[in-house]
Amino acid sequence: MHGSEGVWRKFLNASAMLKANVAICGGDLTGKMIVPIVEQEGKFAYYFMGKNHVVEKPELEATFKMIRGIGYYPYQTNEKEYNEMTKDPKRVDEVFHEVMLSTLKVGLTLYQKSA
């Protein structure tokens, strides 16, 4: 699954539709990487799939959904924190851990609702 919200939802829906007593998910549950989305003067810049992108606030949710859809973690931040992260690999690990746990909690909540 590699953190893909869409794949997780399909897994849950299939389990519910088939009225399975047990559903086993093997493999990686967590995402592959963080995609920092940096607020800059009211717009949001990020690097994704080999290209630089800039979006406005109304486009953020769709951007997050697209990034989550391939198993990456969107992470909204500011320039100061982004610059700190580029200089401190430990901070990147901390953010990755926080975002990964948050995403797993959402996934498990979806699971509980479908059961």
Side-chain angles (χ1 to χ4, degrees), residues 6-56:
V7 174
W8 179 250
R9 287 181 183 274
K10 287 179 184 181
F11 172 76
L12 295 178
N13 288 335
S15 301
M17 184 182 76
L18 297 171
K19 297 181 178 153
N21 292 327
V22 175
I24 298 173
C25 172
D28 295 334
L29 288 176
T30 60
K32 299 173 208 70
M33 65 183 286
I34 299 168
V35 177
I37 300 175
V38 183
E39 185 170 6
Q40 298 174 330
E41 299 175 10
K43 294 187 180 185
F44 300 85
Y46 62 101
Y47 183 78
F48 182 65
M49 304 298 281
K51 296 181 183 175
N52 290 313
H53 302 268
V54 177
V55 296
E56 296 191 14

Side-chain angles (χ1 to χ4, degrees), residues 72-84:
Y72 290 0
Y73 297 123
Y75 181 69
Q76 186 176 336
T77 187
N78 57 46
E79 289 186 74
K80 180 182 176 192
E81 183 183 28
Y82 176 76
N83 289 331
E84 290 170 3

